Amino acid sequence: MWRATLTELVATACLLFTLTTSIISCLESTTAEPKFLIPFAIFVIAFFFLLTTVPLSGGYMSPVFTFIAALEGVITPVRALFYVSAQCVGSIVAYLVIKSVIDKNAEEKYSLGGCMIDGNGEGISPTNAFILEFSCTFIVLFVGVTVAFDKRRCQEIGLQMVCGILAGAMALAFFVSISVTGRAGYAGVGLNPARCLGPLLLKGGRLWYGHWVFWVGPFVACIVYYGFTLTLPTGTSTS
């Protein structure tokens, strides 16, 4: 278990470093509509990281996926606790590296790439952010996890397709969140509380506002999704 836990730590750190720097690069590009580039970047990065880590540790790299895996009985609660701890440490490591290399103007402009719902009154309310966080997380679980936790279907379509479905669901959810709001102060759904934790601890400031949304929303979505899977027809349940 300690090897898998270490893998989760390293994988989460590398994923968040790559993902955050890529998103900031997209936003800083001269492209008129960077919001179309970001989902594509998320898809590519998530796909390759999932493809690499799924055979090693399960490729969770997020407390959300770890929590739903524990609910579904895919991993034990003890293993889940170790994984979540490793993912949070990995996030801190990733953003320590980013903070040491990022341009200071970009750091201030994007709050170190953290999860933000209000930029000096320009963002959205915590209630609306919670609704988006819950809805988008549920979409990812319904589209991606339903397939990923179905062993028979995974064998039928193969690891590459499963990783592609998961990565595509995450990219789609993020695109939806930034498309329907159109607010400069809103950074989009977190989908990964560990991603929100690192910048919060290192940068703080306005990132504290509504931070609970990025934890409560996904975990409530996991609980609702788990209840939903219990109603699925025999043979299609993820349990």
Side-chain angles (χ1 to χ4, degrees), residues 11 15 23 25 74-75 113 124 143 154 157 161 163 174 185-186 192 205 210 226 232 236-237:
L15 170 67
I23 290 175
S25 297
V74 178
I75 59 176
I124 64 177
V143 175
C154 288
I157 65 178
M161 184 61 70
C163 293
F174 186 85
Y186 177 57
N192 185 348
Y226 174 68
L232 293 178
T236 59
S237 174

Side-chain angles (χ1 to χ4, degrees), residues 59-180:
Y60 299 103
M61 297 178 288
S62 166
V64 173
F65 294 137
T66 306
F67 183 58
I68 192 59
L71 285 179
E72 295 285 356
V74 178
I75 59 176
T76 64
V78 173
R79 182 178 287 266
L81 181 62
F82 275 89
Y83 279 9
V84 170
S85 300
Q87 291 154 3
C88 291
V89 173
S91 172
I92 296 172
V93 171
Y95 286 100
L96 278 172
V97 176
I98 293 174
K99 186 175 177 63
S100 65
V101 299
I102 193 173
D103 177 77
K104 295 302 178 184
N105 293 328
E107 177 185 338
E108 292 298 325
K109 183 177 180 181
Y110 300 107
S111 295
L112 201 62
C115 303
M116 183 173 58
I117 67 174
D118 182 80
N120 297 322
E122 298 175 353
I124 64 177
S125 68
T127 301
N128 290 338
F130 173 82
I131 294 172
L132 276 172
E133 200 70 35
F134 170 84
S135 303
C136 291
T137 302
F138 188 88
I139 290 172
V140 174
L141 296 175
F142 180 66
V143 175
V145 172
T146 302
V147 175
F149 286 177
D150 189 328
K151 294 182 179 179
R152 185 177 62 181
R153 195 179 306 179
C154 288
Q155 292 175 351
E156 291 174 353
I157 65 178
L159 176 62
Q160 293 85 352
M161 184 61 70
V162 173
C163 293
I165 292 172
L166 272 169
M170 287 187 279
L172 174 64
F174 186 85
F175 178 73
V176 168
S177 72
I178 61 176
S179 297
V180 299

